[in-house]
Amino acid sequence: MNQQLLAKTFVELADNLVADFDLIDFLRLLTDRCVGLLGASAAGVLLADRDGELRVVAASDEQVRLLELFQLQNDEGPCLDCFRTGAPVAVADLGAATTRWPRFAVQARHSGFGAVQALPMRLRDEVVGALNLFRATPGPFDPAATPLAQALADVATISLLQQRSALRSTVLNEQLQTALNSRVLIEQAKGKLAERQGIDMERAFTALRGYARAHNRRLSDVARAFIDDSEPLPGLVS
């Protein structure tokens, strides 16, 4: 494991003391680093909205984003169980999980995943979401990596809940709702850019994210500007 990258990741996840940090980009960092550091094939983050309903907020690739949406649409799967119980869920062989999750297990295997682990994003008794880790092949997750994955989820959760006291839940719900609204903009921008450039959705997201970072802008603002054609975005659109 790359210890230097692991240390950098903890710093990046904890270093969000500004009130307007980009939540979508922040959680995409979490999923990307879980894949890069923990041997997962893919990762996704689901967070609860103001009504307590889970929503897909970040995913390491388009395939797992669609699988997470399938999980929510069918109201079954590891992330839902993890969120509802506040406890980790691990299944080493999704092929043997059809009794537990008849629709999700089949779809997950069809999507190329053989094992899954869901970890709660919680602080004390407050569960705000869950982190899903997927592996392409069946088999148990590395027991040494699981505590690190939970630690990454915990640090991310603390960052989400920081600077909040009595009004913490209200502020968090507002921030999550804003993030969910931004997610819609980003998905629209991904589709438009993918069609215009003749690329897939994942490459479109990478281009939008890279442009936002290179120009020190919020990802949602870049997405809105691209959708509205309200300003030139040199280097993004050829």
Side-chain angles (χ1 to χ4, degrees):
M1 181 178 295
N2 187 328
Q3 297 295 329
Q4 185 175 0
L5 181 59
L6 178 63
K8 180 183 178 183
T9 300
F10 276 112
V11 170
E12 288 175 317
L13 291 176
D15 188 23
N16 285 289
L17 298 178
V18 295
D20 62 344
F21 77 97
D22 193 325
L23 183 59
I24 298 293
D25 194 51
F26 168 75
L27 292 174
R28 177 59 186 254
L29 171 69
L30 173 62
T31 62
D32 287 351
R33 293 298 169 78
C34 283
V35 172
L37 288 166
L38 304 176
S41 302
V45 173
L46 281 72
L47 294 178
D49 63 15
R50 65 182 61 176
D51 297 318
E53 298 295 325
L54 283 179
R55 297 287 184 266
V56 181
V57 182
S60 60
D61 60 46
E62 187 68 11
Q63 187 82 341
V64 78
R65 186 186 75 85
L66 294 175
L67 180 59
E68 298 284 38
L69 287 173
F70 181 90
Q71 177 178 192
L72 296 179
Q73 290 164 356
N74 288 274
D75 195 33
E76 63 171 47
C79 206
L80 286 164
D81 288 359
C82 177
F83 175 70
R84 289 165 178 166
T85 64
V89 174
V91 175
D93 184 1
L94 280 165
T98 53
T99 300
R100 185 175 186 179
W101 306 310
R103 294 179 294 275
F104 174 82
V106 171
Q107 184 63 32
R109 294 288 291 159
H110 179 73
S111 300
F113 300 116
V116 65
Q117 182 177 50
L119 301 167
M121 297 184 69
R122 64 180 299 168
L123 181 64
R124 301 183 183 91
D125 295 330
E126 184 171 5
V127 183
V128 301
L131 169 66
N132 262 3
L133 304 179
F134 295 89
R135 284 184 49 193
T137 56
F141 283 78
D142 182 355
T146 297
L148 287 176
Q150 185 63 67
L152 291 171
D154 290 345
V155 171
T157 304
I158 291 169
S159 290
L160 291 174
L161 297 174
Q162 68 187 359
Q163 296 182 336
R164 298 163 177 88
S165 54
L167 297 178
R168 183 179 66 191
S169 294
T170 299
V171 175
L172 176 63
N173 286 338
E174 291 175 354
Q175 186 181 52
L176 294 186
Q177 194 61 46
T178 298
L180 292 170
N181 294 339
S182 297
R183 182 82 245 180
V184 173
L185 280 175
I186 293 165
E187 291 302 317
Q188 291 174 344
K190 280 167 54 179
K192 181 177 178 180
L193 184 60
E195 181 179 5
R196 180 174 296 185
Q197 300 289 76
I199 57 179
D200 61 33
M201 295 284 277
E202 187 61 24
R203 288 179 61 193
F205 178 83
T206 300
L208 288 164
R209 188 188 193 195
Y211 186 93
R213 288 188 166 190
H215 293 82
N216 196 29
R217 297 183 60 179
R218 293 171 64 86
L219 181 56
S220 57
D221 291 341
V222 172
R224 182 180 290 104
F226 178 64
I227 293 169
D228 297 341
D229 289 321
S230 57
E231 61 178 276
L233 298 172
L236 177 63
V237 181
S238 57

